[in-house]
Amino acid sequence: RVRGVLAQLLQVPQEYETALDMALGQALQNIVTDDEETAKRLIDYLRDNRLGRATFLPLSAVRSRTLSQEERRLLSMPGCLGVASELVSFSPEYRGVVENLLGRTVVCEDLARGIPIMRAGRHAFRLVTLAGDVMNPGGSMTGGSVQSRMTSLLTRGRELDGHRSQIARLDG
């Protein structure tokens, strides 16, 4: 069965929304399924009906990827806020998927603090800043301004929850 779109399965604290949005990018739209057979059926359906492409994350196949104990020592460096997979909330059954996508991503205050962390980690993992700048494994860097008028899937989910609770208060 289909569990949902990744963005629906994560709860991200507001202060990390930009960072996680940039770290996950298109993966926020990936579809989580129970197994590979479900994903295959959906891929066949998309192909047969010429409905485009999608990426599926079968719970039965996607495995956790996390920092080593040695790499975890870098989390105490100045400006480091933690591992992305540990800064978000999700149901335990999604641990493999979340750690696969975010278990080797470190969240940091800014690039000035991120550069020494990445150097110390020999550019072996990914680092994302609160402003959404990304330092990739291997050393490439992505950054600049983030379109403010573009509402992310993470922000939209939080805003919907806020509106729902406001409606419930008004109804009550």
Side-chain angles (χ1 to χ4, degrees):
R1 77 184 165 111
V2 173
R3 297 299 185 97
V5 174
L6 181 66
Q8 300 171 314
L9 306 177
L10 289 178
Q11 293 80 51
V12 178
Q14 190 170 351
E15 64 267 29
Y16 302 129
E17 280 177 359
T18 300
L20 273 287
D21 206 32
M22 294 302 119
L24 287 167
Q26 292 292 346
L28 282 167
Q29 298 176 43
N30 290 358
I31 300 161
V32 178
T33 62
D34 281 342
D35 51 40
E36 296 104 307
E37 289 74 27
T38 303
K40 180 201 176 301
R41 280 198 307 276
L42 292 167
I43 288 170
D44 289 343
Y45 180 82
L46 291 173
R47 182 180 298 111
D48 293 347
N49 294 282
R50 297 177 182 255
L51 292 171
R53 298 170 67 83
T55 299
F56 297 89
L57 302 169
L59 293 175
S60 61
V62 178
R63 296 284 168 257
S64 292
R65 294 170 58 249
T66 57
L67 297 177
S68 69
Q69 282 309 112
E70 184 183 332
E71 288 169 332
R72 284 192 73 85
R73 286 200 272 278
L74 304 174
L75 299 177
S76 61
M77 289 182 69
C80 189
L81 301 170
V83 181
S85 60
E86 296 168 14
L87 298 174
V88 299
S89 306
F90 52 89
S91 294
E93 67 262 33
Y94 304 127
R95 177 167 307 283
V97 164
V98 175
E99 286 184 347
N100 179 275
L101 295 170
L102 296 174
R104 292 190 55 78
T105 299
V106 170
V107 180
C108 177
E109 287 175 7
D110 53 40
L111 282 177
R113 300 286 175 92
I115 290 169
I117 294 168
M118 287 299 278
R119 283 184 180 148
R122 296 187 295 284
H123 300 277
F125 48 83
R126 184 171 48 174
L127 180 140
V128 63
T129 68
L130 292 177
D133 300 316
V134 181
M135 299 183 73
N136 297 296
S140 67
M141 295 168 66
T142 304
S145 69
V146 175
Q147 294 297 97
S148 58
R149 70 176 188 277
M150 185 185 84
T151 308
S152 84
L153 289 170
L154 296 174
T155 307
R156 205 168 294 145
R158 179 178 47 77
E159 287 173 351
L160 272 172
D161 289 341
H163 293 316
R164 281 192 195 105
S165 63
Q166 221 173 352
I167 290 166
R169 272 201 312 278
L170 292 170
D171 282 350

